[in-house]
Amino acid sequence: MAMRDYERLIEHVCAATGLDAERLLSEGTLRAGETPVRLQYFSPADLCRLEIDLGRPPSCGDADALRWMLECNTDCETGCLPVLAIDPDSGNALVYLHFPLCQPDSAEALLRFLESDVQEMADQWRRAEVTHNAGATSGASANLLAFA
């Protein structure tokens, strides 16, 4: 039953954005603006789990960046249960967000997040990393979803 709820959530997002639901269910990846996002059903907690690759942690101080990430993990009070981590293979920072399938507005919340918040979060992360390109802004299609 819970997997069917996840499938309905994905179908709702795809119907609203024009993406192919079968493809998203099988591949699990898309792009929110310029940012790769992986969606999956997280069965232990009956959630839709998003994995967002933020790129390398800020080079201004690895220890400071890691400390900040850990503090975010312990201080966060948002409903999507964010967790920051480091990918052991690439060294990139990852953020995991969780959307409960049992909430009646989970599809709308996920869609809003994908269409606006993902790119903003990634842009904020990159601004901390790249100072020589601070004047660059994302294009007008930054909020559009596409397959990775």
Side-chain angles (χ1 to χ4, degrees), residues 115-127:
E115 289 183 327
S116 60
D117 297 339
V118 169
Q119 191 60 48
E120 183 179 336
M121 178 192 315
D123 287 346
Q124 288 175 351
W125 180 264
R126 289 181 192 112
R127 278 193 298 271

Side-chain angles (χ1 to χ4, degrees), residues 21-110:
E22 275 189 49
R23 182 174 174 188
L24 185 53
L25 285 167
S26 68
E27 294 178 8
T29 58
L30 55 79
R31 286 195 167 283
E34 301 169 10
T35 306
V37 179
R38 179 175 195 80
L39 288 90
Q40 66 187 100
Y41 174 61
F42 188 63
S43 61
D46 193 27
L47 301 166
C48 173
R49 180 179 186 174
L50 275 66
E51 175 187 293
I52 303 165
D53 188 331
L54 297 173
R56 301 291 294 176
S59 58
C60 58
D62 290 338
D64 289 338
L66 295 175
R67 179 185 172 114
W68 175 81
M69 291 172 70
L70 182 59
E71 288 173 355
C72 287
N73 285 343
T74 59
D75 290 342
C76 187
E77 298 176 5
T78 65
C80 61
L81 309 168
V83 176
L84 285 158
I86 298 292
D87 182 331
D89 296 326
S90 68
N92 286 355
L94 304 173
V95 62
Y96 293 93
L97 301 164
H98 305 86
F99 290 82
L101 297 174
C102 61
Q103 292 181 345
D105 66 340
S106 60
E108 289 80 16
L110 176 60

